[in-house]
Amino acid sequence: MKAVPATGWAPQEMCAPPSCAVPCKALSGPRVHAAAVRPLSGFGFNPSITPTTPEISAMLPPQYRTPQYEALSYFALTRFESNNEKVRCRNPYVRGSSMRSTYSSTELLLLARDFRVLARLKVTGGICARGRWRVVDSRLVPAADGLWMNYKNHFGEDGCKGYWLGKLNLSSATTRMLAERQAKSLTQVRTSLVTLWPTDGVGGVGLDGERGSTLYAERNGGIGVQDGQIWFELADVAPLTKVHMRSGLTHSHHAPSSFAADMHNSINPVWMPELKAYLGIAHRHYRSGFVRLANGMETRDKNSPFQFGYAYRHVFFTLTARQYRIERYSREICFPSIEAAAYNTSLFPNGLCEGIQFAMSAFRMDDESTHGPTIAISYGLMDCQSALLTLSLHKLQALLEFTNEQPM
């Protein structure tokens, strides 16, 4: 493991595990074999990663199928537009918001096997995929017919707002000269783009594939794939776990009693043959950048270290293949910090986690240096940076230490 670079985050921006109904714990540090964390260079924040396939790679135009791109192993989505005013973000791949009208807040990255960025393409499309806070917190959905994504549109016309599915038209990838505002002046910048469909007047499609029909979740829903087909949406985790099938059927089961009502989905569930179930991850945050007034209204908390939620905790769980019920689950955990100073055990005997950690995807990683399957979880840090947590299958099995006691 390479040395972890310092980020300059202050101790008050870190969090120690709080008291929980089910005890919290931090995972082992970055140099422990069974669990490791690493920053992802060249990324924005809140990354979703998926391995490529020969079929999906073949959908790219000829300029991305040259020897230069023979190392292509993964696709990733990442946010590049800053949104948390209280974070001192020094990531050169995250920039301030601008009133542009050409592309969204997300870019598609083409990655080598070592997660080196080979190319970056801004996601664009119709009016619903152009501008600030459009196509955010996007998660990749690899299907037999191409590369899809589920995403949130906060701004735009009424037909644009909502939580959607859309398909990346990889063959549309092109490079153009665009006028960008830099230092209060317009500059022509060479920009690579890829088109998201359908975003011309509607935000996308729903689980039924109909234009203008939103997904069931308000945001952060999880899309499940079976036999290469988009098959279901995990819309709610707790207190009821609700899974909507593309056929129209809905499965609803009680979540474990230790799950807080504000536990929400994090990733698109991933089928794990070794578990004979889908792997899911959920999250909650213990602190907020808001305070509630005596009249019940909320306002910004000037003393909060972050603008939005923080002190995040995650829970790993399995979702059964037929009933779509949570069967096994972990304690609430936070991921060990990538900040080198956090490993000063004399100052922080229990370790530290970044105040904002937001899991976005899980995938199987081809890693010849380990024995057996390796599971990777990509996550955002501090609304500024991206990181990768890798777990051995043995470690994952050990984390899933509890069984859902609720009746079926």
Side-chain angles (χ1 to χ4, degrees), residues 9-15 84-88 287-290 300-312 353-357 381-383:
W9 297 322
Q12 63 267 27
E13 295 171 337
M14 304 285 189
C15 295
N84 198 321
E85 296 176 357
K86 292 191 174 184
V87 172
R88 300 190 298 273
R287 304 287 184 268
S288 172
F290 295 86
R300 297 283 185 191
D301 182 358
K302 296 181 180 179
N303 297 319
S304 169
F306 299 105
Q307 188 173 350
F308 306 109
Y310 63 101
Y312 275 82
C353 305
E354 287 85 8
I356 300 175
Q357 298 179 330
L381 286 176
M382 313 292 275
D383 290 338

PDB file of all heavy atoms in Angstrom, residues 9-15 84-88 287-290 300-312 353-357 381-383:
ATOM      1  N   TRP A   9      -7.604  17.952   6.106  1.00  0.00           N
ATOM      2  CA  TRP A   9      -8.854  18.069   6.826  1.00  0.00           C
ATOM      3  C   TRP A   9      -8.582  18.203   8.316  1.00  0.00           C
ATOM      4  O   TRP A   9      -7.711  17.556   8.881  1.00  0.00           O
ATOM      5  CB  TRP A   9      -9.744  16.863   6.556  1.00  0.00           C
ATOM      6  CG  TRP A   9     -10.124  16.754   5.115  1.00  0.00           C
ATOM      7  CD1 TRP A   9     -10.416  17.790   4.267  1.00  0.00           C
ATOM      8  CD2 TRP A   9     -10.218  15.583   4.343  1.00  0.00           C
ATOM      9  NE1 TRP A   9     -10.706  17.316   3.018  1.00  0.00           N
ATOM     10  CE2 TRP A   9     -10.591  15.962   3.029  1.00  0.00           C
ATOM     11  CE3 TRP A   9     -10.036  14.225   4.605  1.00  0.00           C
ATOM     12  CZ2 TRP A   9     -10.783  15.047   2.006  1.00  0.00           C
ATOM     13  CZ3 TRP A   9     -10.231  13.318   3.597  1.00  0.00           C
ATOM     14  CH2 TRP A   9     -10.602  13.736   2.309  1.00  0.00           C
ATOM     15  N   ALA A  10      -9.343  19.033   8.971  1.00  0.00           N
ATOM     16  CA  ALA A  10      -9.147  19.295  10.389  1.00  0.00           C
ATOM     17  C   ALA A  10      -9.757  18.168  11.229  1.00  0.00           C
ATOM     18  O   ALA A  10     -10.689  17.501  10.792  1.00  0.00           O
ATOM     19  CB  ALA A  10      -9.785  20.627  10.762  1.00  0.00           C
ATOM     20  N   PRO A  11      -9.228  17.954  12.466  1.00  0.00           N
ATOM     21  CA  PRO A  11      -9.764  16.883  13.316  1.00  0.00           C
ATOM     22  C   PRO A  11     -11.266  16.982  13.546  1.00  0.00           C
ATOM     23  O   PRO A  11     -11.949  15.971  13.648  1.00  0.00           O
ATOM     24  CB  PRO A  11      -8.981  17.056  14.623  1.00  0.00           C
ATOM     25  CG  PRO A  11      -7.694  17.683  14.201  1.00  0.00           C
ATOM     26  CD  PRO A  11      -8.051  18.600  13.058  1.00  0.00           C
ATOM     27  N   GLN A  12     -11.817  18.217  13.645  1.00  0.00           N
ATOM     28  CA  GLN A  12     -13.250  18.336  13.873  1.00  0.00           C
ATOM     29  C   GLN A  12     -14.071  17.875  12.673  1.00  0.00           C
ATOM     30  O   GLN A  12     -15.276  17.699  12.761  1.00  0.00           O
ATOM     31  CB  GLN A  12     -13.643  19.765  14.236  1.00  0.00           C
ATOM     32  CG  GLN A  12     -13.373  20.807  13.147  1.00  0.00           C
ATOM     33  CD  GLN A  12     -12.023  21.468  13.327  1.00  0.00           C
ATOM     34  OE1 GLN A  12     -11.118  20.858  13.904  1.00  0.00           O
ATOM     35  NE2 GLN A  12     -11.888  22.699  12.865  1.00  0.00           N
ATOM     36  N   GLU A  13     -13.406  17.668  11.532  1.00  0.00           N
ATOM     37  CA  GLU A  13     -14.116  17.170  10.368  1.00  0.00           C
ATOM     38  C   GLU A  13     -14.093  15.637  10.315  1.00  0.00           C
ATOM     39  O   GLU A  13     -14.611  15.045   9.391  1.00  0.00           O
ATOM     40  CB  GLU A  13     -13.507  17.756   9.087  1.00  0.00           C
ATOM     41  CG  GLU A  13     -13.688  19.265   8.998  1.00  0.00           C
ATOM     42  CD  GLU A  13     -12.922  19.890   7.857  1.00  0.00           C
ATOM     43  OE1 GLU A  13     -11.940  19.284   7.397  1.00  0.00           O
ATOM     44  OE2 GLU A  13     -13.291  20.987   7.431  1.00  0.00           O
ATOM     45  N   MET A  14     -13.451  15.027  11.299  1.00  0.00           N
ATOM     46  CA  MET A  14     -13.447  13.582  11.434  1.00  0.00           C
ATOM     47  C   MET A  14     -14.480  13.192  12.496  1.00  0.00           C
ATOM     48  O   MET A  14     -14.945  14.023  13.263  1.00  0.00           O
ATOM     49  CB  MET A  14     -12.065  13.081  11.864  1.00  0.00           C
ATOM     50  CG  MET A  14     -10.936  13.493  10.945  1.00  0.00           C
ATOM     51  SD  MET A  14     -10.948  12.544   9.415  1.00  0.00           S
ATOM     52  CE  MET A  14      -9.371  13.074   8.723  1.00  0.00           C
ATOM     53  N   CYS A  15     -14.821  11.923  12.529  1.00  0.00           N
ATOM     54  CA  CYS A  15     -15.809  11.458  13.494  1.00  0.00           C
ATOM     55  C   CYS A  15     -15.364  10.147  14.102  1.00  0.00           C
ATOM     56  O   CYS A  15     -14.892   9.262  13.392  1.00  0.00           O
ATOM     57  CB  CYS A  15     -17.165  11.248  12.820  1.00  0.00           C
ATOM     58  SG  CYS A  15     -17.908  12.750  12.182  1.00  0.00           S
ATOM     59  N   ASN A  84     -20.624  21.581  -1.329  1.00  0.00           N
ATOM     60  CA  ASN A  84     -20.594  21.742   0.122  1.00  0.00           C
ATOM     61  C   ASN A  84     -19.673  22.917   0.448  1.00  0.00           C
ATOM     62  O   ASN A  84     -18.447  22.785   0.456  1.00  0.00           O
ATOM     63  CB  ASN A  84     -20.106  20.453   0.784  1.00  0.00           C
ATOM     64  CG  ASN A  84     -20.454  20.393   2.258  1.00  0.00           C
ATOM     65  OD1 ASN A  84     -20.388  21.392   2.969  1.00  0.00           O
ATOM     66  ND2 ASN A  84     -20.826  19.211   2.728  1.00  0.00           N
ATOM     67  N   GLU A  85     -20.269  24.058   0.732  1.00  0.00           N
ATOM     68  CA  GLU A  85     -19.505  25.293   0.901  1.00  0.00           C
ATOM     69  C   GLU A  85     -18.566  25.251   2.099  1.00  0.00           C
ATOM     70  O   GLU A  85     -17.611  26.027   2.163  1.00  0.00           O
ATOM     71  CB  GLU A  85     -20.466  26.480   1.038  1.00  0.00           C
ATOM     72  CG  GLU A  85     -21.308  26.729  -0.207  1.00  0.00           C
ATOM     73  CD  GLU A  85     -22.321  27.837  -0.007  1.00  0.00           C
ATOM     74  OE1 GLU A  85     -22.394  28.362   1.136  1.00  0.00           O
ATOM     75  OE2 GLU A  85     -23.031  28.170  -0.962  1.00  0.00           O
ATOM     76  N   LYS A  86     -18.811  24.380   3.056  1.00  0.00           N
ATOM     77  CA  LYS A  86     -17.992  24.350   4.271  1.00  0.00           C
ATOM     78  C   LYS A  86     -16.778  23.428   4.164  1.00  0.00           C
ATOM     79  O   LYS A  86     -15.980  23.355   5.097  1.00  0.00           O
ATOM     80  CB  LYS A  86     -18.854  23.942   5.466  1.00  0.00           C
ATOM     81  CG  LYS A  86     -19.901  24.991   5.841  1.00  0.00           C
ATOM     82  CD  LYS A  86     -20.537  24.681   7.179  1.00  0.00           C
ATOM     83  CE  LYS A  86     -21.467  25.798   7.611  1.00  0.00           C
ATOM     84  NZ  LYS A  86     -22.028  25.557   8.966  1.00  0.00           N
ATOM     85  N   VAL A  87     -16.657  22.711   3.061  1.00  0.00           N
ATOM     86  CA  VAL A  87     -15.529  21.800   2.873  1.00  0.00           C
ATOM     87  C   VAL A  87     -14.412  22.531   2.131  1.00  0.00           C
ATOM     88  O   VAL A  87     -14.632  23.103   1.064  1.00  0.00           O
ATOM     89  CB  VAL A  87     -15.957  20.546   2.079  1.00  0.00           C
ATOM     90  CG1 VAL A  87     -14.747  19.694   1.727  1.00  0.00           C
ATOM     91  CG2 VAL A  87     -16.950  19.725   2.895  1.00  0.00           C
ATOM     92  N   ARG A  88     -13.208  22.482   2.685  1.00  0.00           N
ATOM     93  CA  ARG A  88     -12.048  23.098   2.036  1.00  0.00           C
ATOM     94  C   ARG A  88     -11.482  22.102   1.020  1.00  0.00           C
ATOM     95  O   ARG A  88     -10.483  21.421   1.286  1.00  0.00           O
ATOM     96  CB  ARG A  88     -10.995  23.471   3.076  1.00  0.00           C
ATOM     97  CG  ARG A  88     -11.508  24.456   4.128  1.00  0.00           C
ATOM     98  CD  ARG A  88     -10.359  24.989   4.991  1.00  0.00           C
ATOM     99  NE  ARG A  88      -9.695  23.932   5.738  1.00  0.00           N
ATOM    100  CZ  ARG A  88     -10.085  23.503   6.929  1.00  0.00           C
ATOM    101  NH1 ARG A  88     -11.170  24.023   7.496  1.00  0.00           N
ATOM    102  NH2 ARG A  88      -9.416  22.555   7.568  1.00  0.00           N
ATOM    103  N   ARG A 287     -25.516  13.334  12.212  1.00  0.00           N
ATOM    104  CA  ARG A 287     -25.486  14.790  12.410  1.00  0.00           C
ATOM    105  C   ARG A 287     -25.965  15.460  11.132  1.00  0.00           C
ATOM    106  O   ARG A 287     -25.912  14.889  10.046  1.00  0.00           O
ATOM    107  CB  ARG A 287     -24.075  15.270  12.754  1.00  0.00           C
ATOM    108  CG  ARG A 287     -23.445  14.601  13.977  1.00  0.00           C
ATOM    109  CD  ARG A 287     -24.070  15.090  15.283  1.00  0.00           C
ATOM    110  NE  ARG A 287     -23.381  14.513  16.428  1.00  0.00           N
ATOM    111  CZ  ARG A 287     -23.738  13.377  17.029  1.00  0.00           C
ATOM    112  NH1 ARG A 287     -24.774  12.685  16.556  1.00  0.00           N
ATOM    113  NH2 ARG A 287     -23.070  12.914  18.068  1.00  0.00           N
ATOM    114  N   SER A 288     -26.416  16.707  11.275  1.00  0.00           N
ATOM    115  CA  SER A 288     -26.917  17.440  10.132  1.00  0.00           C
ATOM    116  C   SER A 288     -26.417  18.870  10.175  1.00  0.00           C
ATOM    117  O   SER A 288     -26.104  19.403  11.250  1.00  0.00           O
ATOM    118  CB  SER A 288     -28.456  17.429  10.130  1.00  0.00           C
ATOM    119  OG  SER A 288     -28.973  18.281   9.138  1.00  0.00           O
ATOM    120  N   GLY A 289     -26.340  19.491   9.018  1.00  0.00           N
ATOM    121  CA  GLY A 289     -25.960  20.902   8.934  1.00  0.00           C
ATOM    122  C   GLY A 289     -27.115  21.835   9.194  1.00  0.00           C
ATOM    123  O   GLY A 289     -26.992  23.050   8.978  1.00  0.00           O
ATOM    124  N   PHE A 290     -28.241  21.266   9.667  1.00  0.00           N
ATOM    125  CA  PHE A 290     -29.422  22.068   9.962  1.00  0.00           C
ATOM    126  C   PHE A 290     -29.770  21.960  11.445  1.00  0.00           C
ATOM    127  O   PHE A 290     -29.421  20.991  12.109  1.00  0.00           O
ATOM    128  CB  PHE A 290     -30.621  21.586   9.139  1.00  0.00           C
ATOM    129  CG  PHE A 290     -30.456  21.768   7.654  1.00  0.00           C
ATOM    130  CD1 PHE A 290     -29.820  20.793   6.891  1.00  0.00           C
ATOM    131  CD2 PHE A 290     -30.927  22.903   7.023  1.00  0.00           C
ATOM    132  CE1 PHE A 290     -29.671  20.946   5.525  1.00  0.00           C
ATOM    133  CE2 PHE A 290     -30.774  23.067   5.659  1.00  0.00           C
ATOM    134  CZ  PHE A 290     -30.147  22.096   4.907  1.00  0.00           C
ATOM    135  N   ARG A 300     -30.070  26.661   8.576  1.00  0.00           N
ATOM    136  CA  ARG A 300     -28.668  26.271   8.569  1.00  0.00           C
ATOM    137  C   ARG A 300     -28.042  26.434   9.948  1.00  0.00           C
ATOM    138  O   ARG A 300     -28.287  27.417  10.644  1.00  0.00           O
ATOM    139  CB  ARG A 300     -27.881  27.120   7.574  1.00  0.00           C
ATOM    140  CG  ARG A 300     -28.323  26.962   6.124  1.00  0.00           C
ATOM    141  CD  ARG A 300     -27.809  25.692   5.531  1.00  0.00           C
ATOM    142  NE  ARG A 300     -28.125  25.562   4.118  1.00  0.00           N
ATOM    143  CZ  ARG A 300     -27.968  24.466   3.413  1.00  0.00           C
ATOM    144  NH1 ARG A 300     -27.515  23.374   3.991  1.00  0.00           N
ATOM    145  NH2 ARG A 300     -28.279  24.430   2.136  1.00  0.00           N
ATOM    146  N   ASP A 301     -27.238  25.453  10.350  1.00  0.00           N
ATOM    147  CA  ASP A 301     -26.504  25.528  11.611  1.00  0.00           C
ATOM    148  C   ASP A 301     -25.138  26.157  11.331  1.00  0.00           C
ATOM    149  O   ASP A 301     -24.274  25.535  10.718  1.00  0.00           O
ATOM    150  CB  ASP A 301     -26.337  24.127  12.196  1.00  0.00           C
ATOM    151  CG  ASP A 301     -25.628  24.122  13.538  1.00  0.00           C
ATOM    152  OD1 ASP A 301     -25.225  25.216  14.001  1.00  0.00           O
ATOM    153  OD2 ASP A 301     -25.471  23.027  14.115  1.00  0.00           O
ATOM    154  N   LYS A 302     -24.940  27.383  11.771  1.00  0.00           N
ATOM    155  CA  LYS A 302     -23.695  28.100  11.496  1.00  0.00           C
ATOM    156  C   LYS A 302     -22.491  27.432  12.144  1.00  0.00           C
ATOM    157  O   LYS A 302     -21.355  27.617  11.703  1.00  0.00           O
ATOM    158  CB  LYS A 302     -23.812  29.546  11.970  1.00  0.00           C
ATOM    159  CG  LYS A 302     -24.863  30.357  11.226  1.00  0.00           C
ATOM    160  CD  LYS A 302     -24.913  31.787  11.737  1.00  0.00           C
ATOM    161  CE  LYS A 302     -25.963  32.597  10.980  1.00  0.00           C
ATOM    162  NZ  LYS A 302     -26.038  33.998  11.474  1.00  0.00           N
ATOM    163  N   ASN A 303     -22.711  26.642  13.206  1.00  0.00           N
ATOM    164  CA  ASN A 303     -21.604  26.008  13.911  1.00  0.00           C
ATOM    165  C   ASN A 303     -21.279  24.610  13.376  1.00  0.00           C
ATOM    166  O   ASN A 303     -20.334  23.980  13.838  1.00  0.00           O
ATOM    167  CB  ASN A 303     -21.927  25.912  15.406  1.00  0.00           C
ATOM    168  CG  ASN A 303     -22.094  27.279  16.052  1.00  0.00           C
ATOM    169  OD1 ASN A 303     -21.323  28.198  15.758  1.00  0.00           O
ATOM    170  ND2 ASN A 303     -23.099  27.425  16.900  1.00  0.00           N
ATOM    171  N   SER A 304     -22.059  24.126  12.444  1.00  0.00           N
ATOM    172  CA  SER A 304     -21.820  22.794  11.897  1.00  0.00           C
ATOM    173  C   SER A 304     -20.582  22.810  11.008  1.00  0.00           C
ATOM    174  O   SER A 304     -20.369  23.761  10.243  1.00  0.00           O
ATOM    175  CB  SER A 304     -23.029  22.331  11.087  1.00  0.00           C
ATOM    176  OG  SER A 304     -22.725  21.162  10.359  1.00  0.00           O
ATOM    177  N   PRO A 305     -19.747  21.753  11.052  1.00  0.00           N
ATOM    178  CA  PRO A 305     -18.568  21.710  10.174  1.00  0.00           C
ATOM    179  C   PRO A 305     -18.918  21.421   8.720  1.00  0.00           C
ATOM    180  O   PRO A 305     -18.078  21.584   7.844  1.00  0.00           O
ATOM    181  CB  PRO A 305     -17.726  20.577  10.763  1.00  0.00           C
ATOM    182  CG  PRO A 305     -18.720  19.679  11.426  1.00  0.00           C
ATOM    183  CD  PRO A 305     -19.791  20.605  11.967  1.00  0.00           C
ATOM    184  N   PHE A 306     -20.174  20.999   8.464  1.00  0.00           N
ATOM    185  CA  PHE A 306     -20.588  20.670   7.107  1.00  0.00           C
ATOM    186  C   PHE A 306     -21.928  21.306   6.794  1.00  0.00           C
ATOM    187  O   PHE A 306     -22.732  21.577   7.691  1.00  0.00           O
ATOM    188  CB  PHE A 306     -20.681  19.147   6.929  1.00  0.00           C
ATOM    189  CG  PHE A 306     -19.383  18.434   7.143  1.00  0.00           C
ATOM    190  CD1 PHE A 306     -19.157  17.711   8.305  1.00  0.00           C
ATOM    191  CD2 PHE A 306     -18.379  18.505   6.198  1.00  0.00           C
ATOM    192  CE1 PHE A 306     -17.958  17.061   8.522  1.00  0.00           C
ATOM    193  CE2 PHE A 306     -17.173  17.852   6.402  1.00  0.00           C
ATOM    194  CZ  PHE A 306     -16.952  17.130   7.562  1.00  0.00           C
ATOM    195  N   GLN A 307     -22.159  21.502   5.515  1.00  0.00           N
ATOM    196  CA  GLN A 307     -23.391  22.150   5.074  1.00  0.00           C
ATOM    197  C   GLN A 307     -24.588  21.213   5.143  1.00  0.00           C
ATOM    198  O   GLN A 307     -25.709  21.654   5.390  1.00  0.00           O
ATOM    199  CB  GLN A 307     -23.211  22.655   3.637  1.00  0.00           C
ATOM    200  CG  GLN A 307     -24.347  23.526   3.123  1.00  0.00           C
ATOM    201  CD  GLN A 307     -24.024  24.115   1.763  1.00  0.00           C
ATOM    202  OE1 GLN A 307     -22.894  24.024   1.287  1.00  0.00           O
ATOM    203  NE2 GLN A 307     -25.017  24.726   1.147  1.00  0.00           N
ATOM    204  N   PHE A 308     -24.347  19.910   4.944  1.00  0.00           N
ATOM    205  CA  PHE A 308     -25.450  18.947   4.918  1.00  0.00           C
ATOM    206  C   PHE A 308     -25.213  17.879   5.986  1.00  0.00           C
ATOM    207  O   PHE A 308     -24.631  18.146   7.011  1.00  0.00           O
ATOM    208  CB  PHE A 308     -25.576  18.338   3.516  1.00  0.00           C
ATOM    209  CG  PHE A 308     -25.705  19.363   2.424  1.00  0.00           C
ATOM    210  CD1 PHE A 308     -24.659  19.590   1.528  1.00  0.00           C
ATOM    211  CD2 PHE A 308     -26.863  20.117   2.298  1.00  0.00           C
ATOM    212  CE1 PHE A 308     -24.777  20.537   0.523  1.00  0.00           C
ATOM    213  CE2 PHE A 308     -26.992  21.076   1.299  1.00  0.00           C
ATOM    214  CZ  PHE A 308     -25.947  21.289   0.417  1.00  0.00           C
ATOM    215  N   GLY A 309     -25.663  16.641   5.748  1.00  0.00           N
ATOM    216  CA  GLY A 309     -25.507  15.582   6.730  1.00  0.00           C
ATOM    217  C   GLY A 309     -24.062  15.135   6.878  1.00  0.00           C
ATOM    218  O   GLY A 309     -23.266  15.209   5.941  1.00  0.00           O
ATOM    219  N   TYR A 310     -23.712  14.631   8.064  1.00  0.00           N
ATOM    220  CA  TYR A 310     -22.370  14.098   8.306  1.00  0.00           C
ATOM    221  C   TYR A 310     -22.423  13.093   9.452  1.00  0.00           C
ATOM    222  O   TYR A 310     -23.487  12.833   9.996  1.00  0.00           O
ATOM    223  CB  TYR A 310     -21.363  15.207   8.574  1.00  0.00           C
ATOM    224  CG  TYR A 310     -21.615  16.052   9.813  1.00  0.00           C
ATOM    225  CD1 TYR A 310     -20.900  15.843  10.990  1.00  0.00           C
ATOM    226  CD2 TYR A 310     -22.556  17.080   9.798  1.00  0.00           C
ATOM    227  CE1 TYR A 310     -21.114  16.624  12.117  1.00  0.00           C
ATOM    228  CE2 TYR A 310     -22.773  17.874  10.919  1.00  0.00           C
ATOM    229  CZ  TYR A 310     -22.061  17.638  12.075  1.00  0.00           C
ATOM    230  OH  TYR A 310     -22.276  18.409  13.181  1.00  0.00           O
ATOM    231  N   ALA A 311     -21.266  12.536   9.816  1.00  0.00           N
ATOM    232  CA  ALA A 311     -21.171  11.410  10.750  1.00  0.00           C
ATOM    233  C   ALA A 311     -21.931  10.210  10.168  1.00  0.00           C
ATOM    234  O   ALA A 311     -22.858   9.666  10.763  1.00  0.00           O
ATOM    235  CB  ALA A 311     -21.689  11.763  12.137  1.00  0.00           C
ATOM    236  N   TYR A 312     -21.506   9.815   8.974  1.00  0.00           N
ATOM    237  CA  TYR A 312     -22.154   8.714   8.250  1.00  0.00           C
ATOM    238  C   TYR A 312     -21.745   7.360   8.812  1.00  0.00           C
ATOM    239  O   TYR A 312     -20.602   7.168   9.233  1.00  0.00           O
ATOM    240  CB  TYR A 312     -21.787   8.760   6.771  1.00  0.00           C
ATOM    241  CG  TYR A 312     -22.649   9.682   5.952  1.00  0.00           C
ATOM    242  CD1 TYR A 312     -22.386  11.053   5.911  1.00  0.00           C
ATOM    243  CD2 TYR A 312     -23.734   9.193   5.228  1.00  0.00           C
ATOM    244  CE1 TYR A 312     -23.175  11.909   5.155  1.00  0.00           C
ATOM    245  CE2 TYR A 312     -24.528  10.038   4.471  1.00  0.00           C
ATOM    246  CZ  TYR A 312     -24.255  11.393   4.436  1.00  0.00           C
ATOM    247  OH  TYR A 312     -25.032  12.236   3.691  1.00  0.00           O
ATOM    248  N   CYS A 353     -12.761   8.289  11.302  1.00  0.00           N
ATOM    249  CA  CYS A 353     -13.386   8.184   9.983  1.00  0.00           C
ATOM    250  C   CYS A 353     -13.681   9.604   9.503  1.00  0.00           C
ATOM    251  O   CYS A 353     -13.964  10.482  10.309  1.00  0.00           O
ATOM    252  CB  CYS A 353     -14.700   7.411  10.059  1.00  0.00           C
ATOM    253  SG  CYS A 353     -14.563   5.785  10.796  1.00  0.00           S
ATOM    254  N   GLU A 354     -13.615   9.822   8.206  1.00  0.00           N
ATOM    255  CA  GLU A 354     -14.008  11.125   7.683  1.00  0.00           C
ATOM    256  C   GLU A 354     -15.470  11.412   8.045  1.00  0.00           C
ATOM    257  O   GLU A 354     -16.291  10.499   8.121  1.00  0.00           O
ATOM    258  CB  GLU A 354     -13.846  11.191   6.159  1.00  0.00           C
ATOM    259  CG  GLU A 354     -12.410  11.274   5.684  1.00  0.00           C
ATOM    260  CD  GLU A 354     -11.742   9.935   5.547  1.00  0.00           C
ATOM    261  OE1 GLU A 354     -12.453   8.918   5.684  1.00  0.00           O
ATOM    262  OE2 GLU A 354     -10.524   9.893   5.301  1.00  0.00           O
ATOM    263  N   GLY A 355     -15.781  12.672   8.234  1.00  0.00           N
ATOM    264  CA  GLY A 355     -17.147  13.044   8.616  1.00  0.00           C
ATOM    265  C   GLY A 355     -18.171  12.694   7.564  1.00  0.00           C
ATOM    266  O   GLY A 355     -19.322  12.389   7.881  1.00  0.00           O
ATOM    267  N   ILE A 356     -17.779  12.761   6.286  1.00  0.00           N
ATOM    268  CA  ILE A 356     -18.691  12.403   5.194  1.00  0.00           C
ATOM    269  C   ILE A 356     -18.088  11.243   4.418  1.00  0.00           C
ATOM    270  O   ILE A 356     -17.020  11.365   3.824  1.00  0.00           O
ATOM    271  CB  ILE A 356     -18.935  13.593   4.244  1.00  0.00           C
ATOM    272  CG1 ILE A 356     -19.548  14.776   5.000  1.00  0.00           C
ATOM    273  CG2 ILE A 356     -19.854  13.180   3.098  1.00  0.00           C
ATOM    274  CD1 ILE A 356     -19.706  16.026   4.154  1.00  0.00           C
ATOM    275  N   GLN A 357     -18.758  10.111   4.468  1.00  0.00           N
ATOM    276  CA  GLN A 357     -18.403   8.930   3.680  1.00  0.00           C
ATOM    277  C   GLN A 357     -19.693   8.419   3.056  1.00  0.00           C
ATOM    278  O   GLN A 357     -20.675   8.187   3.764  1.00  0.00           O
ATOM    279  CB  GLN A 357     -17.783   7.842   4.562  1.00  0.00           C
ATOM    280  CG  GLN A 357     -16.487   8.231   5.246  1.00  0.00           C
ATOM    281  CD  GLN A 357     -15.937   7.107   6.122  1.00  0.00           C
ATOM    282  OE1 GLN A 357     -16.690   6.307   6.658  1.00  0.00           O
ATOM    283  NE2 GLN A 357     -14.629   7.049   6.265  1.00  0.00           N
ATOM    284  N   LEU A 381     -15.829  10.966  -0.347  1.00  0.00           N
ATOM    285  CA  LEU A 381     -15.280  11.512   0.896  1.00  0.00           C
ATOM    286  C   LEU A 381     -15.488  13.023   0.939  1.00  0.00           C
ATOM    287  O   LEU A 381     -15.077  13.741   0.008  1.00  0.00           O
ATOM    288  CB  LEU A 381     -13.771  11.248   0.983  1.00  0.00           C
ATOM    289  CG  LEU A 381     -13.300   9.836   1.298  1.00  0.00           C
ATOM    290  CD1 LEU A 381     -11.780   9.780   1.225  1.00  0.00           C
ATOM    291  CD2 LEU A 381     -13.787   9.423   2.669  1.00  0.00           C
ATOM    292  N   MET A 382     -16.130  13.498   1.974  1.00  0.00           N
ATOM    293  CA  MET A 382     -16.158  14.928   2.289  1.00  0.00           C
ATOM    294  C   MET A 382     -16.747  15.787   1.169  1.00  0.00           C
ATOM    295  O   MET A 382     -16.441  16.972   1.069  1.00  0.00           O
ATOM    296  CB  MET A 382     -14.735  15.408   2.597  1.00  0.00           C
ATOM    297  CG  MET A 382     -13.957  14.544   3.545  1.00  0.00           C
ATOM    298  SD  MET A 382     -14.607  14.566   5.222  1.00  0.00           S
ATOM    299  CE  MET A 382     -13.792  16.027   5.852  1.00  0.00           C
ATOM    300  N   ASP A 383     -17.577  15.205   0.302  1.00  0.00           N
ATOM    301  CA  ASP A 383     -18.088  15.931  -0.872  1.00  0.00           C
ATOM    302  C   ASP A 383     -16.937  16.558  -1.650  1.00  0.00           C
ATOM    303  O   ASP A 383     -17.046  17.672  -2.177  1.00  0.00           O
ATOM    304  CB  ASP A 383     -19.083  17.017  -0.455  1.00  0.00           C
ATOM    305  CG  ASP A 383     -20.394  16.429   0.058  1.00  0.00           C
ATOM    306  OD1 ASP A 383     -20.696  15.270  -0.283  1.00  0.00           O
ATOM    307  OD2 ASP A 383     -21.106  17.124   0.802  1.00  0.00           O
TER     308      ASP A 383
END
